[in-house]
Amino acid sequence: MAKDLELNRTFDTSSSVYDKMRPNYVAELYKKIFDYISITPDSCVVEVGSGSGQATRPILDTGCKLTAVEYGEHLSELLREKFGKYKNFSVITGKFEDISFADSSCDLVFSATAFHWIPEDIGYSKVFSMLRSGGVFARFANRPSISRNPSAITQKIERLYDEYYYSYYKKERGTKQAFTEEQAEKIATIPEKYGFTDLQYHLFGRERVFSADEYVQLLSTYSDHIAMKKAVREEFFSKIAEAINYHGGTITIYDTLDLELARKP
């Protein structure tokens, strides 16, 4: 799909903007994790695909030993700077699939809007091996949508996507729908195939409002948008900003956050 860059490395080309614009996760989500498993200073935790650490701090604040696995070199360095005061924090730069971890060595493995980059059979099997008996895998993600309440601005942006994004990637737009409970339930059942039990899923919602410039900055952190040729991307973003400013100057994103929990027997 990417023209010049491997998509799961494109985030690393805009690490500072990524850190500024990508959202954190709601407190209720972490409460569900901590209700499901007790994390203490004696716990060993691995985060898969840490990015710039949007999901990291609430776990680190438990006092646990946390190892972040991040593919991007710039993002890895940003993580070291951001969480350098935590003596129980370390970063491994590389693909999760390529890094060796001792069997039965972790209490919690978690991944925030990143685990989809890893082939299912490799990812779940590896996490299962890493966890101690009773250990937990927490997979969660943020699913943004601007089309929950169709309006003139959302329709204009959809037309711009047809003109620039979908024509660039030579594919049809299809019907966009907000992330559903059925999708979360489907993801939550995957770990069962790899030996996990005690499956749960939870959904959370929120709204975020962006100015035209802020929204364009956010789009510039999306891997498939970064991978577009610069001239096409810049014109595309400029047209989106013009549309937002014409239609009142702000745009609302409706987030659905899903959390899937599974335990190793």
Side-chain angles (χ1 to χ4, degrees):
M1 185 178 179
K3 301 290 185 179
D4 304 306
L5 294 169
E6 189 178 355
L7 283 181
N8 59 347
R9 295 204 71 172
T10 55
F11 306 117
D12 200 48
T13 65
S14 56
S15 56
S16 61
V17 178
Y18 186 99
D19 186 43
K20 175 183 176 183
M21 298 307 302
R22 284 298 182 102
N24 295 326
Y25 297 84
V26 297
E28 294 86 350
L29 184 149
Y30 294 101
K31 184 178 186 306
K32 289 294 185 183
I33 295 175
F34 299 144
D35 286 346
Y36 188 82
I37 181 172
S38 177
I39 301 299
T40 72
D42 294 325
S43 300
C44 178
V45 178
V46 171
E47 180 180 8
V48 180
S50 302
S52 61
Q54 278 76 13
T56 308
R57 194 181 305 276
I59 307 294
L60 261 180
D61 282 341
T62 65
C64 68
K65 178 184 178 183
L66 195 157
T67 300
V69 178
E70 171 51 46
Y71 190 22
E73 294 180 2
H74 294 98
L75 286 168
S76 294
E77 187 57 35
L78 181 60
L79 287 166
R80 293 184 182 99
E81 294 174 2
K82 192 172 181 179
F83 302 114
K85 69 176 184 178
Y86 292 88
K87 300 191 183 303
N88 53 339
F89 177 73
S90 61
V91 180
I92 299 175
T93 303
K95 283 186 175 183
F96 176 68
E97 306 94 296
D98 299 336
I99 298 167
S100 296
F101 292 93
D103 289 347
S104 302
S105 59
C106 300
D107 299 288
L108 171 68
V109 177
F110 74 100
S111 185
T113 319
F115 208 68
H116 61 285
W117 292 113
I118 302 167
E120 178 190 304
D121 57 338
I122 295 174
Y124 281 95
S125 297
K126 186 165 188 170
V127 170
F128 189 87
S129 295
M130 292 166 59
L131 289 170
R132 300 183 175 112
S133 177
V136 167
F137 178 42
R139 174 178 178 170
F140 48 102
N142 185 60
R143 320 280 185 170
S145 172
I146 63 169
S147 56
R148 180 178 297 177
N149 298 314
S151 62
I153 179 59
T154 61
Q155 292 170 8
K156 174 61 176 177
I157 288 177
E158 285 180 352
R159 291 194 293 271
L160 289 171
Y161 266 84
D162 288 338
E163 182 179 353
Y164 290 93
Y165 178 92
Y166 291 106
S167 64
Y168 182 82
Y169 285 116
K170 296 180 173 58
K171 66 181 199 176
E172 296 294 326
R173 169 162 37 112
T175 303
K176 286 189 173 181
Q177 295 181 337
F179 189 80
T180 65
E181 183 170 354
E182 288 75 19
Q183 288 172 290
E185 185 176 10
K186 183 177 180 179
I187 294 171
T189 63
I190 296 173
E192 190 172 28
K193 294 190 289 184
Y194 301 93
F196 289 90
T197 60
D198 193 16
L199 310 180
Q200 292 186 13
Y201 70 90
H202 305 276
L203 295 176
F204 313 88
R206 69 176 169 200
E207 296 181 10
R208 293 178 289 149
V209 179
F210 292 86
S211 68
D213 288 344
E214 289 170 339
Y215 189 66
V216 166
Q217 285 188 71
L218 176 65
L219 294 181
S220 73
T221 69
Y222 293 167
S223 60
D224 49 358
H225 291 57
I226 300 169
M228 297 172 74
K229 288 183 179 179
K230 182 179 180 182
V232 177
R233 183 178 68 245
E234 289 182 348
E235 184 173 337
F236 178 36
F237 286 177
S238 176
K239 294 289 186 181
I240 288 177
E242 288 177 11
I244 294 171
N245 283 326
Y246 180 81
H247 290 281
T250 63
I251 187 168
T252 300
I253 290 183
Y254 303 91
D255 289 333
T256 300
L257 300 92
D258 60 302
L259 166 67
E260 294 83 33
L261 296 165
R263 193 183 309 278
K264 181 175 179 176

